[in-house]
Amino acid sequence: MQRIGWICAILLLLGIGLGLWWVHRRGPDLSGAIPKGQPGMMMMGTSLVGRENGERAWEVRAKTIWLSKDNRIAVIRDIEEAIIEVEGERVVFKAAWARLDRNMMKMTVRGGITGRIDDGEFQTEGIFVDLLKQRLTSTGQVLFQSNNTHISARRLEADLKADIVTLKEDVLLREGSKVLRGQKLIYCLKEKTYEVIGETEVEFEL
């Protein structure tokens, strides 16, 4: 469960980093499709690199980035690789497109997200991030799998100000020989403890 929390936190940091990059460029809102007939600038095969204290913090490589002429809209298409490193944790993922609304400070990444963190792999259809409130919500089923752990749920919500990650609907947590099934699981990032709410089924191998 701790890895799920790290993934949420790092994706939020990426959103903040991208937001700062577009603020520096006087931009924009992001949408999944380039508006037809609207003038703008297309960048092909672009890499964005963010630094913190002189160190490389994140990098995003995409096939196309489009910025409207008035810098109100930006579109990132075909994210080939996004790499974020925080306190020794490294998350790498790819997705079809991203949308960032600078004025509202909200980010959407959609089209199927697949990635990895250390020995674990994760996937979901997409995420929605409120950068001001530091909240993240999945837009589809979430799956995380490593050598000893399997986690899945229909929905994930993270409140990173409160250090809480919540899994909802058809929650499955498998750690070694222990299997837990339920409808809601709340994980505290700070305390590294979780609470299951509602009808729960637990299996142990004796």
Side-chain angles (χ1 to χ4, degrees):
M1 279 299 301
Q2 185 178 4
R3 293 292 173 79
I4 291 286
W6 267 110
I7 291 168
C8 294
I10 289 174
L11 288 174
L12 175 64
L13 288 173
L14 175 64
I16 292 172
L18 286 171
L20 291 174
W21 180 79
W22 274 300
V23 167
H24 181 68
R25 297 189 60 93
R26 298 171 57 91
D29 295 322
L30 249 185
S31 73
I34 297 172
K36 293 182 179 180
Q38 185 167 341
M41 176 180 66
M42 181 79 75
M43 294 180 287
M44 310 295 292
T46 305
S47 292
L48 307 178
V49 178
R51 294 186 178 275
E52 185 175 337
N53 300 322
E55 299 288 333
R56 178 176 293 204
W58 55 267
E59 179 179 0
V60 176
R61 290 192 293 105
K63 287 186 178 180
T64 60
I65 297 179
W66 181 85
L67 298 174
S68 63
K69 185 178 180 179
D70 61 4
N71 289 312
R72 301 303 303 165
I73 299 173
V75 179
I76 298 182
R77 302 291 300 274
D78 297 319
I79 301 172
E80 297 173 326
E81 187 174 58
I83 304 171
I84 315 102
E85 296 188 42
V86 179
E87 297 182 6
E89 294 285 350
R90 177 184 174 98
V91 170
V92 180
F93 73 91
K94 61 182 180 179
W97 60 270
R99 177 176 195 258
L100 180 66
D101 183 327
R102 181 182 64 85
N103 293 327
M104 301 294 290
M105 288 301 290
K106 294 179 180 179
M107 180 181 74
T108 303
V109 183
R110 296 290 297 270
I113 301 173
T114 58
R116 63 183 185 277
I117 177 170
D118 291 338
D119 64 338
E121 297 180 350
F122 64 92
Q123 63 185 58
T124 185
E125 195 282 327
I127 58 167
F128 174 78
V129 184
D130 187 320
L131 299 171
L132 289 178
K133 295 181 179 180
Q134 296 188 25
R135 292 181 178 176
L136 181 150
T137 305
S138 73
T139 58
Q141 186 174 20
V142 178
L143 172 66
F144 174 82
Q145 193 163 313
S146 66
N147 293 333
N148 195 49
T149 304
H150 175 98
I151 302 170
S152 63
R154 291 188 180 274
R155 183 177 176 87
L156 178 146
E157 298 175 358
D159 184 339
L160 297 177
K161 282 188 176 180
D163 289 323
I164 290 175
V165 176
T166 303
L167 298 174
K168 295 182 176 181
E169 301 179 35
D170 296 334
V171 178
L172 173 64
L173 170 61
R174 180 181 290 114
E175 292 181 310
S177 60
K178 182 178 70 175
V179 179
L180 183 151
R181 295 182 178 87
Q183 290 303 306
K184 186 175 182 180
L185 184 149
I186 300 174
Y187 179 72
C188 178
L189 297 171
K190 188 176 292 184
E191 302 296 332
K192 299 180 182 179
T193 59
Y194 60 81
E195 175 186 5
V196 183
I197 298 174
E199 185 175 344
T200 306
E201 177 182 319
V202 181
E203 298 178 10
F204 290 95
E205 184 175 329
L206 302 178

